Structure formats: structure tokens, C-alpha cells
Amino acid sequence: MIFKVYYQETKTEVPVRENTNAIYVEGASQEEVRKKLADRDYNIEFVTPLSEEALEYEKQHEDFKVEQL
């Protein structure tokens, strides 16, 4: 399953919507995705699974790329 992860670049950065980034990660669960990203200094705000419809929508964006962790 593909998850969309919303995050800030560093854990010390205050979450501000305009500075929020998103990456796509493949995993079996939200917990697994968080564990895969644990070595990065990200302040993870939200991890959400993408439905088939949402995944197809996201694929239409040119910056869509699934992180290989």
C-alpha cells in the first residue's frame, strides 16, 4: 500500500502549513512507514493511506515519486 506522509524538514521546526512537505512511501502499515522514516530528521505530522482513486489522482502530478526505503 502507498502512504502519503506530511512532514516538516526538521523536528525543531514549528509545523506551518506553508512549509509542510509530502512524500509517498510504500509499506504495510502506518507504523511500518514511520519506522522506515525514523532515521530521517523529519517532524512527521500525518501518515495517510491512499485509496486507488487518490493514488491515481496523485500520479497525475509531475512530482509524484514513491520513496524507495
Side-chain angles (χ1 to χ4, degrees):
M1 174 172 270
I2 304 294
F3 291 85
K4 187 172 185 177
V5 179
Y6 297 93
Y7 69 95
Q8 302 292 319
E9 287 290 329
T10 65
K11 292 182 179 180
T12 59
E13 190 174 329
V14 176
V16 177
R17 175 175 280 171
E18 291 80 16
N19 296 335
T20 299
N21 298 307
I23 58 171
Y24 305 93
V25 180
E26 187 169 356
S29 67
Q30 292 182 19
E31 181 180 332
E32 181 182 323
V33 170
R34 287 181 180 272
K35 286 180 181 178
K36 286 181 176 184
L37 295 172
D39 63 332
R40 300 185 185 190
D41 192 35
Y42 290 163
N43 180 11
I44 297 174
E45 293 181 40
F46 192 65
V47 178
T48 184
L50 293 179
S51 66
E52 288 298 319
E53 295 83 15
L55 182 58
E56 288 304 315
Y57 174 78
E58 296 291 346
K59 285 181 180 179
Q60 294 175 13
H61 295 91
E62 64 185 48
D63 62 339
F64 177 81
K65 183 180 126 188
V66 176
E67 292 281 324
Q68 298 299 319
L69 306 174

